[in-house]
Amino acid sequence: MTQQKSFQTELIKGLWRENPVFVAVLGLCPALAVTNSLANGLAMGLATLAVLVGSSCLVSGLRHFIPKPVRISVFILIIATFVTAVDYVLAATLPDIHKELGAFISLIVVNCLILGRQESFASKNPMWLSIADAAGMGGGFTLALVMIGGVREVLGSGSILGFPLFSDDFVPWVVMVMPPGGFFTMGLLLLIMAFVTENRRRKT
Amino acid sequence: MSHFLWIFVSAAVINNFTLSYFLGLCPFFGVSGRLDTALRMGFANLFVLTITSFCAWFLNVFVLVHAPYLRLISFIFVIASSVQLVEMIIKKTSPALFRALGIFLPLITTNCAILGLALFQTNRDYSLMEGLVFAWGAGVGLTLALVIMAGIRVEVSMQDVPKLIRGAALNFIIAGMLSLAFMGFAGLFSQ
């Protein structure tokens, strides 16, 4: 691979072309579990983004000192430290959202997206590229969560960010804010993605 | 007695880990292509969940009272290392069991269902016995979801499904239907 890695390409690839949720289908548990409203999706996305950037930065800074055989444990230790910090910060600043997300903030530790980025990118690349990669992937994750959360909130509660969208005679599709709605929304969005990709491939 | 039954049924079907908490989705979609692997994965999960429940209870009672901020880190490390230890013991004592569960054990140690169980158990202040029953319920629930999913996917793979929807999108929609069906269990108990 002679392709020059630049800050911009690393930053942009995670947002859409290699979107962690829609293309790589990683980090599904939080992507579906907490996205019953746009605000929750956004909070979860930003929390994950913060953990991802923090741990990528530290892992790539320490990459020459981490012994290969125990690297996974070290990554998990670093990630868990950042998650604990984010957990406490959220509890102190946004107690309502923290209560709503509950155990899922702690479960960021086992989000395969974060460990995957450490293993495949941050542990092999210089710090500023790793930060770009983490910010891009975290941004893409947040984008996906906001999309899922948005669709579910509009259909399930008939509102967006708490503001009602429709007139009073709109009957909300309650199922969309319940667990099955998460699966359906995700399946639908993946179907649309597949449709768009297929169309583009046919044109070229 | 009915208290334990309630915990078990609640974890197994009403609040099924996979279908209503979205925990452990990666193995749910990853290994549900075939019925026998799904079943083994389910049993491996049940096994690890039991160990996890015990470890989490031990840590909560004896260690974390003094340092609650270390909860997450210690959970992950203790669970991962105890699973590894048990894996080695099984390998020595019962090669047949090891072959059946073997490859799945390291995979599921850092699965969200496992850590999720430890965290829920802590949040709900379960005693040792309650925790173990909760773990068995969750394990049975995961196995049930995996096996049903695998059965449906095997059937679907023989049908003439449009190419566009094949793969991930179809799996999600099937899972959605299953989740819808499991919602029906919510009226099982009135509490």
Side-chain angles (χ1 to χ4, degrees):
Chain A
M1 287 282 259
T2 52
Q3 194 189 354
Q4 188 65 40
K5 283 177 177 162
S6 76
F7 193 81
Q8 282 91 344
T9 52
E10 296 306 328
L11 187 64
I12 289 168
K13 72 167 190 227
L15 287 181
W16 193 252
R17 198 163 43 84
E18 291 180 27
N19 187 295
V21 178
F22 294 133
V23 180
V25 201
L26 286 177
L28 288 177
C29 312
L32 298 182
V34 298
T35 49
N36 49 14
S37 75
L38 204 154
N40 285 352
L42 186 65
M44 188 67 191
L46 292 180
T48 311
L49 176 71
V51 173
L52 189 53
V53 171
S55 40
S56 275
C57 182
L58 200 58
V59 164
S60 90
L62 294 173
R63 70 186 186 282
H64 300 302
F65 306 104
I66 300 175
K68 264 260 136 64
V70 295
R71 63 182 193 287
I72 300 285
S73 316
V74 176
F75 296 163
I76 292 187
L77 181 65
I78 291 174
I79 297 170
T81 313
F82 277 103
V83 172
T84 310
V86 166
D87 193 20
Y88 278 88
V89 168
L90 264 183
T93 53
L94 297 166
D96 292 341
I97 294 243
H98 182 262
K99 209 171 180 185
E100 191 108 353
L101 298 184
F104 284 97
I105 290 284
S106 308
L107 285 173
I108 295 178
V109 183
V110 282
N111 188 331
C112 22
L113 161 68
I114 298 181
L115 192 61
R117 286 336 281 172
Q118 311 311 324
E119 169 74 4
S120 66
F121 201 93
S123 58
K124 294 175 192 141
N125 288 286
M127 196 187 274
W128 60 292
L129 277 183
S130 304
I131 294 178
D133 173 74
M137 285 291 167
F141 186 72
T142 311
L143 188 73
L145 257 65
V146 165
M147 277 171 70
I148 302 174
V151 170
R152 288 178 70 182
E153 193 181 348
V154 167
L155 294 178
S157 326
S159 62
I160 197 100
L161 285 172
F163 299 109
L165 279 184
F166 306 107
S167 60
D168 286 340
D169 52 355
F170 173 74
V171 180
W173 308 3
V174 180
V175 72
M176 293 308 274
V177 290
M178 309 244 267
F183 286 114
F184 287 138
T185 312
M186 184 69 192
L188 211 64
L189 289 173
L190 280 175
L191 189 60
I192 294 171
M193 287 285 286
F195 183 70
V196 171
T197 321
E198 179 72 18
N199 258 2
R200 203 176 286 167
R201 200 177 55 85
R202 227 178 253 166
K203 267 186 200 146
T204 51
Chain B
M1 188 60 219
S2 75
H3 175 57
F4 288 116
L5 187 68
W6 158 249
I7 293 180
F8 183 84
V9 175
S10 159
V13 291
I14 302 172
N15 293 317
N16 186 288
F17 263 39
T18 315
L19 295 171
S20 68
Y21 285 144
F22 303 103
L23 296 173
L25 284 185
C26 305
F28 182 64
F29 289 115
V31 302
S32 60
R34 287 179 51 195
L35 209 55
D36 57 332
T37 40
L39 200 61
R40 282 185 194 178
M41 181 71 182
F43 284 131
N45 257 317
L46 185 62
F47 184 74
V48 177
L49 282 169
T50 315
I51 301 175
T52 303
S53 172
F54 182 75
C55 291
W57 172 82
F58 184 86
L59 283 173
N60 276 332
V61 172
F62 294 106
V63 185
L64 293 173
V65 191
H66 311 290
Y69 51 88
L70 283 179
R71 175 167 297 138
L72 208 49
I73 299 174
S74 55
F75 272 179
I76 289 210
F77 269 81
V78 172
I79 292 165
S81 25
S82 3
V83 170
Q84 198 115 56
L85 190 73
V86 173
E87 195 188 341
M88 283 188 243
I89 297 173
I90 294 184
K91 200 174 181 179
K92 270 266 181 280
T93 55
S94 161
L97 185 62
F98 180 76
R99 262 194 308 268
L101 303 180
I103 48 164
F104 296 116
L105 287 181
L107 272 181
I108 51 184
T109 314
T110 51
N111 173 326
C112 29
I114 310 298
L115 188 64
L117 177 102
L119 292 169
F120 284 140
Q121 186 185 337
T122 311
N123 288 351
R124 295 176 191 174
D125 286 325
Y126 279 161
S127 68
L128 177 61
M129 205 52 218
E130 283 171 329
L132 285 177
V133 172
F134 183 50
W136 291 327
V140 169
L142 283 175
T143 314
L144 196 65
L146 262 168
V147 169
I148 297 177
M149 185 71 183
I152 297 178
R153 277 182 65 179
V154 169
E155 278 301 311
V156 165
S157 69
M158 288 183 267
Q159 306 297 323
D160 187 19
V161 182
K163 218 176 119 207
L164 202 58
I165 198 176
R166 265 183 198 278
L170 182 63
N171 291 343
F172 273 101
I173 290 169
I174 296 174
M177 306 268 190
L178 275 183
S179 170
L180 206 56
F182 269 69
M183 265 173 64
F185 285 114
L188 205 56
F189 282 86
S190 50
Q191 183 171 322

